[in-house]
Amino acid sequence: MADLRIKFWGVRGSYPTPQCSTLAYGGHTSCVTVEAGGHFLIFDAGTGIIPLGKTLVKNPRRTRALNLFLSHTHHDHIFGFYFFAPLFRSGMRVAIFGPRAAGRTIKETLHAAMAPRFFPVGPDRFKAGTHFYSLGGNEDIRLRNRGDTPMVMRSARGASLNEVQVLAHRSDAHPNGVLVYRVSHRGKSLVYATDIEQTKTGCRDIIDFIRGADLLIHDGQYLEKEYLSLNESRRGWGHSTVERAARVARSGAVKRLILFHHDPTHNDTTLKRIEAMTRLRFPSTVVAREGLEIAL
């Protein structure tokens, strides 16, 4: 049995792309699930979390306790939060982890986004048990027995084989900051690093954080020529090029690279070409698509 099971529910960046030219890779925005040690982890709440939620409420016995980790709260990463079906089902429990930003807790930020002037349904309609954890980076989160309250420590310590460990690292490589997560269980590890604008040689803190991971899910929104375009430079927009993602994967000695957070203008043909091109730089590369499942 795999120690970590990963599934992609939304792989697109910036905004959804529900069109024929993106059907092969998918048009939903960021959402990835990880199953480990009997625990169910969700990374980001883009529109991909909407079909995930519908699936979860059909089989609630297996997934009554959920753990949602938000990298940041830009719209494309929380579009689906308001429509996440388990939040509106009694008997479900959802632990929500996310950044403290602009003096607000993650609970205050999400609740503000559901204020009547923005959305017709408020958080008072939630029927699930919810608990919010505001993170600043450098946290060590432990999931032990299924259904137990997560334990949040302020510095990393050694984990036992039966624990699922989630390390949170805050990066400034995105406007207003972003959280990068590393999940470890029984000697296997993956890193979720979206919305990272890598420097030409790579951000040293990110390279150190990903070092030796079995799987790296990394922002690959642009091609280098798009990023450096004279007509429409993407510098400062908070995203990486596929070329820089491959360079960072090599520098961090990770085993596999998954390119993620695809630009909405990149259709299926472009993404297929990107995969082939990136494999010349880092052979163990896959371009993420909706429905992709990986077992470690």
Side-chain angles (χ1 to χ4, degrees):
M1 184 176 178
D3 295 304
L4 295 170
R5 299 190 66 87
I6 304 102
K7 185 170 181 178
F8 292 81
W9 296 83
V11 301
R12 193 67 56 173
S14 299
Y15 56 84
T17 58
Q19 54 206 38
C20 293
S21 62
T22 60
L23 289 178
Y25 289 90
H28 277 303
T29 61
S30 303
C31 184
V32 178
T33 57
V34 177
E35 294 184 72
H39 299 279
F40 201 91
L41 291 69
I42 307 165
F43 291 89
D44 276 331
T47 57
I49 205 173
I50 300 172
L52 167 63
K54 293 177 180 178
T55 300
L56 292 175
V57 296
K58 290 179 181 177
N59 188 14
R61 289 186 180 180
R62 188 171 66 90
T63 53
R64 283 190 180 277
L66 306 172
N67 302 278
L68 171 60
F69 296 86
L70 298 175
S71 60
H72 61 308
T73 54
H74 285 166
H75 290 306
D76 53 329
H77 292 261
I78 61 169
F79 275 152
F81 179 78
Y82 327 113
F83 302 98
F84 187 43
L87 289 171
F88 302 93
R89 294 296 180 97
S90 58
M92 304 289 284
R93 287 189 293 164
V94 187
I96 302 164
F97 303 83
R100 179 186 297 275
R104 289 179 178 267
T105 66
I106 187 62
K107 180 178 181 178
E108 289 170 336
T109 297
L110 292 174
H111 282 201
M114 298 181 76
R117 63 188 184 279
F118 298 127
F119 199 71
V121 177
D124 57 305
R125 299 285 292 275
F126 290 166
K127 294 182 179 179
T130 57
H131 196 94
F132 294 82
Y133 299 85
S134 294
L135 307 178
N138 200 38
E139 285 89 1
D140 180 343
I141 301 147
R142 300 298 176 84
L143 305 176
R144 294 180 170 177
N145 297 322
R146 187 186 303 183
D148 282 1
T149 300
M151 182 169 65
V152 180
M153 297 177 285
R154 297 304 171 186
S155 59
R157 305 175 189 173
S160 72
L161 283 177
N162 294 324
E163 292 179 319
V164 176
Q165 180 185 49
V166 183
L167 299 178
H169 171 74
R170 186 186 185 281
S171 170
D172 291 320
H174 193 72
N176 297 314
V178 65
L179 291 174
V180 180
Y181 294 102
R182 181 169 180 141
V183 184
S184 300
H185 182 57
R186 292 185 175 272
K188 298 294 183 182
S189 61
L190 71 91
V191 176
Y192 180 78
T194 191
D195 292 63
I196 295 292
E197 184 170 355
Q198 293 288 357
T199 63
K200 194 170 184 179
T201 57
C203 301
R204 177 50 53 186
D205 63 316
I206 300 295
I207 292 172
D208 291 341
F209 189 69
I210 70 173
R211 191 167 302 282
D214 294 284
L215 186 71
L216 170 62
I217 302 168
H218 195 286
D219 186 313
Q221 181 147 346
Y222 308 126
L223 292 163
E224 193 79 6
K225 64 181 180 181
E226 295 171 329
Y227 180 78
L228 300 175
S229 169
L230 294 177
N231 295 325
E232 192 180 7
S233 170
R234 275 75 165 179
R235 293 179 182 176
W237 290 14
H239 300 287
S240 285
T241 68
V242 297
E243 294 91 341
R244 296 183 188 196
R247 191 175 300 127
V248 165
R250 283 200 313 273
S251 298
V254 303
K255 294 182 176 64
R256 299 169 73 181
L257 169 64
I258 309 294
L259 293 174
F260 184 72
H261 205 273
H262 311 318
D263 191 87
T265 67
H266 289 174
N267 61 21
D268 294 333
T269 301
T270 300
L271 290 175
K272 186 174 182 179
R273 188 167 65 246
I274 284 173
E275 185 174 72
M277 179 193 77
T278 309
R279 283 177 175 173
L280 297 177
R281 293 171 168 81
F282 191 83
S284 297
T285 298
V286 172
V287 169
R289 66 178 188 277
E290 285 178 30
L292 173 65
E293 297 187 55
I294 298 172
L296 298 178

